[in-house]
Amino acid sequence: MFTLNRWQSRTAALMALSVTVGTVAPFITASPSLAQTTFSDVSSNYWAAQFIQQLSQRGVIAGFPDGSFRPEEPVTRAQFAAMVNKAFQKTQQRQTINFTDVPSNYWASSAIEQAYTIGFLSGYPGNRFEPNQAIPREQVLVSLANGLEYSPSGNTESTLQYFNDASNIASYARSPIAAATQKQIVVNYPNVKFLNPTATATRAQVAAFIYQALVSSNQASAINSSYVVAVGSTTPTPVSVTIAQGTAIPVKYDKAEKILVTKDETAPLTLTVSQNVVTQEGSVVIPAGSQVIGQLKPATGGSQFVAQKLVLTNGQEYQLNATSEVITKTETVKKGISTGSIIKNTVLGAGAATAISVVTGDRAIATEEVLGGAGIGALVGLFFGKKSVDLIAIDPNTDLQMTINQNLLVSLR
């Protein structure tokens, strides 16, 4: 399968498992400038979200027509060949071969031929490729290590001792996986100590492996993920670290359980980082308790939090380009309704406060329940005579989780 022909006969028995897939759409990718980068089934806090986003921006992977990515679906050898060719540009290492089970009109015929000639994939005895066979995690790592011509430094077994299930790694794969581990290509979720070498690789896992392979060859910037295995690395501890675009920042808001704003207003808002953001080595780059200062702003169909500044617990400040998803949930306020039920455990934008006051006739909304913004008196005319108004209803502890839109360099000292 991979670049060492002597490997083929040893592993033929291990490769009996196969799956047949009916669609190849995710691997016929759009150009990077048009590539989809968000998917309906990949939340911002999904463990592989950043890897998937970055590879989709590069045009290496793509989603399905329904807007999903299906991160837990298995990857076949043909699909992996297509991804490798999109990710890496290498010169031909060997002559082409005609695989007996890959007809010329097969969707991935060219991709398989290319992946073979540049050294990432090989076939089985009898010139078979088994294009629809599910690919195990260890074989993905062997392919990447061999294709990039990586060799382990030092003792292979010492490196592999990091994994609690190292005994399950096949003999052919031990040296390449040690090299891949040292190059920080290995990403293990949910436990970095378990490689699960024989498990079928999922779309999310392959995306993480390929992206880390690009990082290892200086073709991509490192992503701050606690699931990247760092063993045998001689890289010194940096004095600063880049938090990659696409990183999610978990936040909370302690002053209320709900925020109401009109769809047209801008309101200042300060959020608190709820969990430490750490590097793979365990260094805290954004401590819990840090402040994110920004604004709720009108967005298409709703409201969106737009961050402006990050203030760490030690007082360091950084300009921050980050946004939440657009919140479109609404709550209708009608004439005659009790304002007590509306504003309980709620803070209001100035526009929302004015709308509630005018529509309900209650002029006694306390100022401490109102976020700063436009003067309330100036807004009365916008809602005068209305019997109801729809307000954007925000749950601050779930709706305002944000994603960094631009790499952020943070000092570790």
Side-chain angles (χ1 to χ4, degrees), residues 316-328:
Q316 290 179 336
E317 296 186 4
Y318 299 91
Q319 295 301 308
L320 179 61
N321 181 349
T323 53
S324 71
E325 298 292 329
V326 176
I327 305 106
T328 58

Side-chain angles (χ1 to χ4, degrees), residues 80-395:
F80 181 66
M83 296 175 80
V84 162
N85 291 330
K86 288 284 187 179
F88 303 100
Q89 303 298 318
K90 281 190 65 181
T91 58
Q92 183 173 322
Q93 306 291 312
R94 54 189 174 181
Q95 295 298 313
T96 60
I97 186 173
N98 293 320
F99 293 108
T100 58
D101 55 353
V102 182
S104 59
N105 62 349
Y106 182 67
W107 74 268
S109 175
S110 296
I112 291 169
E113 178 180 310
Q114 175 72 3
Y116 174 83
T117 62
I118 63 177
F120 278 90
L121 292 167
S122 292
Y124 293 107
N127 283 353
R128 291 179 300 107
F129 186 79
E130 302 291 350
N132 292 327
Q133 192 172 71
I135 187 167
R137 285 166 52 86
E138 66 181 356
Q139 293 173 12
V140 172
L141 293 170
V142 171
S143 172
L144 294 172
N146 286 348
L148 294 173
E149 302 178 53
Y150 290 155
S151 298
S153 59
N155 185 275
T156 292
E157 295 307 312
S158 295
T159 298
L160 296 182
Q161 284 177 4
Y162 176 85
F163 303 111
N164 290 344
D165 54 355
S167 61
N168 296 335
I169 303 173
S171 57
Y172 78 90
R174 300 186 79 81
S175 180
I177 287 180
T181 302
Q182 292 171 0
K183 291 290 187 178
Q184 299 189 18
I185 295 174
V186 181
V187 185
N188 291 339
Y189 173 86
N191 189 330
V192 292
K193 298 287 287 184
F194 284 88
L195 182 67
N196 295 310
T198 60
T200 296
T202 66
R203 284 166 52 78
Q205 292 167 359
V206 170
F209 289 156
I210 289 180
Y211 188 82
Q212 285 302 112
L214 289 169
V215 172
S216 74
S217 53
N218 297 316
Q219 299 179 65
S221 299
I223 285 174
N224 180 32
S225 170
S226 59
Y227 302 111
V228 176
V229 177
V231 176
S233 173
T234 58
T235 304
T237 301
V239 296
S240 62
V241 65
T242 297
I243 302 176
Q245 174 184 344
T247 298
I249 299 181
V251 293
K252 63 181 180 178
Y253 185 73
D254 294 328
K255 295 182 179 180
E257 297 176 1
K258 182 173 64 177
I259 300 173
L260 293 176
V261 294
T262 67
K263 63 182 179 63
D264 299 318
E265 74 173 296
T266 297
L269 189 66
T270 297
L271 304 174
T272 302
V273 176
S274 59
Q275 300 175 29
N276 289 340
V277 177
V278 300
T279 67
Q280 60 197 32
E281 293 82 15
S283 299
V284 177
V285 287
I286 302 180
S290 299
Q291 302 292 303
V292 178
I293 300 171
Q295 294 178 316
L296 289 169
K297 288 188 172 184
T300 304
S303 183
Q304 180 180 41
F305 180 74
V306 179
Q308 298 167 323
K309 184 188 297 184
L310 172 66
V311 182
L312 302 185
T313 53
N314 63 4
Q316 290 179 336
E317 296 186 4
Y318 299 91
Q319 295 301 308
L320 179 61
N321 181 349
T323 53
S324 71
E325 298 292 329
V326 176
I327 305 106
T328 58
K329 294 177 295 184
T330 60
E331 181 173 323
T332 300
V333 177
K334 297 181 179 179
K335 185 175 182 178
I337 194 171
S338 169
T339 58
S341 62
I342 301 172
I343 65 175
K344 182 180 180 181
N345 298 321
T346 301
V347 296
L348 310 171
T354 305
I356 294 172
S357 178
V358 172
V359 171
T360 64
D362 185 347
R363 303 294 191 268
I365 296 177
T367 56
E368 61 266 22
E369 297 163 344
V370 181
L371 297 170
I376 294 179
L379 299 172
V380 171
L382 296 176
F383 306 101
F384 187 77
K386 289 190 174 183
K387 296 182 178 180
S388 69
V389 63
D390 291 329
L391 302 176
I392 303 298
I394 301 168
D395 181 336

Side-chain angles (χ1 to χ4, degrees), residues 21 134 153 207 236 406:
V21 293
S153 59
Q406 186 177 20

Side-chain angles (χ1 to χ4, degrees), residues 23 25-26 36 38-42 62-71 73 203:
T23 178
Q36 179 184 1
T38 58
F39 303 96
S40 59
D41 54 354
V42 179
F64 290 82
D66 64 358
S68 67
F69 182 77
R70 305 176 194 176
E73 283 196 359
R203 284 166 52 78

